[in-house]
């Protein structure tokens, strides 16, 4: 059966539309796979991928990468005292404060639970400390209001820089930021600490 030119053209248009729909669906699935459902930030997988991309460049292309790990202080007590819906509201509010406080090119993600991660490219350690202090103040400056509850929040922050550590992979960088974070908690919380070099 011979098809008319109009039928062939309609068939091509239909195939092109199906291809576009498939590409859109694929892009949407990738966004979902890389996004934290509660906060809308990048998830652990997305931020790990971003770190690996930054660190995998050759020495001549590699830019300085500072990692900040943030852990909300006494978050379990917030959940226990105010309930998990209040805890979720706190996490969403912290995500909002991070995105409104930091430069647009900052990679911001939820690392897991009440932990967040920030990635800064081409930022000195001194500038990363200034940004961390700005974040700490933005989070602690005002309570989160959930329904009728007033919830005071603060965060401890650990910073590590691949240049200072001569780190070319994610593991030593994350370990150093994590160690600095726990030192911030041990030293009284609601503070910023830098990794030992």
């Amino acid at each position: 059966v011979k098809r008319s030119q109009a039928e062939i053209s309609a068939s091509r248009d239909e195939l092109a539309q199906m291809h576009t729909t498939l590409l859109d669906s694929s892009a949407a699935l990738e966004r979902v796979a890389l996004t934290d459902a509660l906060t809308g930030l990048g998830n652990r997988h997305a931020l790990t991928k971003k770190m690996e991309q930054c660190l995998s460049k050759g020495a001549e292309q590699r830019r300085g990468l500072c990692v900040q790990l943030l852990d909300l202080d006494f978050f379990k007590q917030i959940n226990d005292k105010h309930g998990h819906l209040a805890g979720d509201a706190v996490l969403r509010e912290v995500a909002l404060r991070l995105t409104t406080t930091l430069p647009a090119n900052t990679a911001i993600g939820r690392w897991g639970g009440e932990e967040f991660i920030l990635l800064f490219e081409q930022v000195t350690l001194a500038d990363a400390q200034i940004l961390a202090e700005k974040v700490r103040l933005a989070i602690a400056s005002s309570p989160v209001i959930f329904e009728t509850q007033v919830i005071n929040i603060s965060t401890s922050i650990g910073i590590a820089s691949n240049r200072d550590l001569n780190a070319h992979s994610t593991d030593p960088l994350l370990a150093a930021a994590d160690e600095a974070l726990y030192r911030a908690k041990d030293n009284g919380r609601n503070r910023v600490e830098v990794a030992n070099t």
Side-chain angles (χ1 to χ4, degrees):
V1 177
K2 200 168 182 183
R3 295 195 303 166
S4 71
Q5 194 61 40
E7 288 174 321
I8 292 169
S9 182
S11 183
R12 279 191 191 129
D13 289 348
E14 190 179 338
L15 277 173
Q17 182 59 45
M18 287 169 64
H19 184 255
T20 301
T21 302
L22 188 61
L23 289 175
D24 290 348
S25 296
S26 177
L29 282 172
E30 186 172 2
R31 271 193 306 277
V32 167
L34 298 174
T35 304
D36 174 61
L38 180 66
T39 62
L41 298 175
N43 62 18
R44 188 180 191 113
H45 178 67
L47 274 288
T48 300
K49 195 171 166 182
K50 175 75 173 165
M51 271 190 290
E52 287 168 352
Q53 287 169 350
C54 293
L55 294 170
S56 68
K57 296 173 182 162
E60 69 285 349
Q61 292 177 302
R62 191 180 296 122
R63 300 187 287 269
L65 179 67
C66 283
V67 174
Q68 296 184 8
L69 285 178
L70 289 68
D71 189 86
L72 298 182
D73 299 326
F74 305 113
F75 188 74
K76 184 181 182 309
Q77 292 178 19
I78 292 171
N79 277 333
D80 290 348
K81 182 178 178 184
H82 302 284
H84 288 278
L85 289 178
D88 288 351
V90 165
L91 293 171
R92 283 192 296 272
E93 178 61 24
V94 167
L96 179 64
R97 291 181 192 186
L98 290 172
T99 54
T100 56
T101 301
L102 292 165
N105 63 344
T106 308
I108 306 170
R110 183 170 174 212
W111 197 237
E114 69 274 16
E115 277 194 329
F116 293 84
I117 186 169
L118 310 175
L119 305 180
F120 301 94
E121 287 187 80
Q122 293 181 299
V123 170
T124 65
L125 192 56
D127 286 341
Q129 285 177 269
I130 291 166
L131 287 164
E133 190 59 28
K134 193 173 175 185
V135 163
R136 187 192 68 75
L137 289 170
I139 290 173
S141 64
S142 59
V144 175
I145 309 300
F146 176 72
E147 295 174 347
T148 59
Q149 303 174 80
V150 177
I151 306 167
N152 291 308
I153 59 171
S154 66
T155 189
S156 300
I157 304 174
I159 307 174
S161 163
N162 74 317
R163 282 188 177 148
D164 293 290
L165 297 164
N166 198 24
H168 304 299
S169 65
T170 59
D171 288 350
L173 195 53
L174 288 168
D178 200 46
E179 181 273 326
L181 168 63
Y182 278 92
R183 199 161 6 96
K185 290 205 168 284
D186 290 344
N187 289 339
R189 293 181 164 85
N190 192 22
R191 58 184 292 125
V192 175
E193 292 283 350
V194 177
N196 295 319
T197 53

